[in-house]
């Protein structure tokens, strides 16, 4: 039985409507006869399903609709069309460095982020040392968070978030944080979570990560589903060829232009 099913999901953005420009501007534009509404489909007719313990890699160039699809899968957004069926708990690591207070210390921010993720004070007290050691921030615990580098901030966020044991785990480029040594460590941590039975979705521009970690792959371009399946090597090879040439047999002109 599938733990996650995405059925004909489409996500539409509307620009220029009165919710965006405000009621006053809407009335003025209507009186002038220059009120226009434009539709933009970030994703269109996306379909796939995952079983427990599987790992899906999502590939595609910038603007392909990957991050928007993740927000719908995680429940942050509702699809304009279609449906997402989920079983069990879900955790999403989408924007690692967001949600911190720059004026608070690293220690204070660790507890703050933990509270935001639903961890109890008792749990945070018991795991705080583990979090800091994993993030390699022992010497920075009492410094203001704003003094950390972007890589250090992301390491802390990853360390806190990776404590969870979800049924479905969503990762958006989070395995690229930090230097080479920390990336290797974060990949090992993710493998532990996956081995524990979590169904995982990984968005990554690293084809090597997709090849090494995933057993299924979904290729998106300009919001359209190009391929989905277990032929990881074949799909990734065709995607890389598309990046070089901008053309691939079977992809329509809207994508290859």
């Amino acid at each position: 039985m599938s733990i996650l099913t995405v059925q004909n999901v489409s996500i539409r953005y509307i620009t220029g409507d009165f919710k965006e420009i405000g009621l006053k501007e809407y009335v003025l534009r209507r009186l002038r006869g220059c009120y226009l509404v434009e539709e933009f489909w970030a994703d269109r007719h996306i379909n796939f399903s995952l079983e427990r313990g599987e790992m899906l890699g999502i590939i595609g160039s910038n603007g392909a609709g990957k991050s928007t699809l993740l927000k719908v899968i995680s429940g942050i957004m509702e699809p304009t069309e279609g449906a997402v069926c989920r079983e069990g708990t879900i955790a999403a690591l989408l924007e690692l460095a967001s949600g911190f207070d720059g004026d608070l210390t690293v220690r204070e921010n660790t507890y703050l982020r933990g509270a935001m993720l639903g961890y109890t004070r008792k749990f945070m007290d018991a795991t705080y040392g583990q979090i800091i050691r994993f993030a390699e921030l022992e010497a920075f615990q009492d410094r203001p968070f704003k003094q950390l580098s972007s890589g250090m901030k992301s390491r802390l966020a990853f360390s806190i978030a990776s404590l969870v044991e979800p049924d479905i785990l969503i990762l958006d480029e989070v395995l690229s944080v930090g230097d080479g040594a920390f990336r290797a460590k974060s990949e090992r941590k993710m493998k532990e979570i996956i081995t524990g039975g979590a169904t995982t979705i990984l968005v990554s521009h690293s084809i090597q990560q997709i090849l090494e970690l995933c057993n299924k792959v979904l290729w998106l371009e300009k919001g359209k589903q190009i391929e989905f399946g277990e032929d990881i090597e074949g799909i990734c090879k065709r995607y890389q060829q598309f990046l070089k040439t901008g053309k691939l047999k079977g992809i329509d002109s809207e994508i290859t232009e």
Side-chain angles (χ1 to χ4, degrees), residues 15-252:
T15 60
D17 70 342
F18 73 91
K19 292 180 181 179
E20 181 182 63
I21 64 178
L23 182 59
K24 180 179 179 181
E25 183 64 21
Y26 164 75
V27 172
L28 290 174
R29 292 188 186 185
R30 287 298 298 264
L31 291 173
R32 296 168 184 163
C34 59
Y35 175 65
L36 298 175
V37 175
E38 296 181 358
E39 292 185 343
F40 168 70
W41 291 90
D43 289 291
R44 204 76 164 117
H45 308 308
I46 309 301
N47 292 277
F48 67 86
S49 64
L50 297 174
E51 305 296 325
R52 185 174 298 277
E54 290 190 315
M55 185 162 186
L56 170 70
I58 302 182
I59 57 176
S61 52
N62 291 333
K66 304 184 296 296
S67 294
T68 300
L69 179 61
L70 293 189
K71 291 177 181 177
V72 169
I73 294 172
S74 64
I76 296 174
M77 296 175 59
E78 288 292 327
T80 307
E81 297 175 356
V84 177
C85 300
R86 317 171 190 85
E87 297 290 339
T89 59
I90 187 167
L93 281 67
L94 302 181
E95 297 176 0
L96 285 181
S98 64
F100 289 106
D101 188 323
D103 293 322
L104 297 181
T105 66
V106 169
R107 187 189 307 272
E108 291 168 334
N109 268 294
T110 301
Y111 277 87
L112 175 63
R113 174 58 72 92
M116 292 170 63
L117 292 173
Y119 302 156
T120 64
R121 178 62 183 251
K122 182 179 180 181
F123 177 80
M124 291 302 298
D125 286 341
T127 57
Y128 173 78
Q130 174 188 341
I131 292 169
I132 293 299
R133 285 192 298 274
F134 189 91
E136 301 170 6
L137 294 175
E138 294 96 325
F140 300 88
Q141 299 177 61
D142 297 311
R143 289 197 183 184
F145 186 77
K146 61 186 176 184
Q147 292 183 4
L148 301 184
S149 68
S150 58
M152 295 164 77
K153 294 174 181 176
S154 294
R155 280 177 5 219
L156 179 62
F158 180 88
S159 182
I160 298 168
S162 63
L163 290 172
V164 299
E165 296 181 357
D167 295 300
I168 301 172
L169 179 64
I170 298 176
L171 311 170
D172 190 358
E173 291 290 352
V174 301
L175 296 186
S176 61
V177 302
D179 56 21
F182 190 83
R183 285 197 295 272
K185 185 164 68 172
S186 63
E187 286 182 7
R188 289 195 297 271
K189 181 63 176 179
M190 287 300 98
K191 287 179 180 179
E192 289 179 13
I193 294 175
I194 296 163
T195 302
T199 299
T200 309
I201 299 176
L202 169 66
V203 167
S204 177
H205 285 292
S206 171
I207 296 300
Q208 192 61 36
Q209 280 184 347
I210 300 294
L211 291 170
E212 291 178 358
L213 297 172
C214 302
N215 71 308
K216 288 185 177 179
V217 64
L218 172 66
W219 174 10
L220 302 177
E221 286 299 334
K222 295 187 177 179
K224 296 186 178 182
Q225 181 170 328
I226 307 304
E227 290 194 63
F228 167 71
E230 299 179 358
D231 181 17
I232 309 298
E233 187 173 348
I235 294 175
C236 287
K237 185 176 180 180
R238 289 187 287 276
Y239 169 63
Q240 289 177 306
Q241 184 65 24
F242 171 75
L243 291 179
K244 292 179 181 178
T245 65
K247 295 181 180 181
L248 187 64
K249 186 177 180 180
I251 299 179
D252 63 35

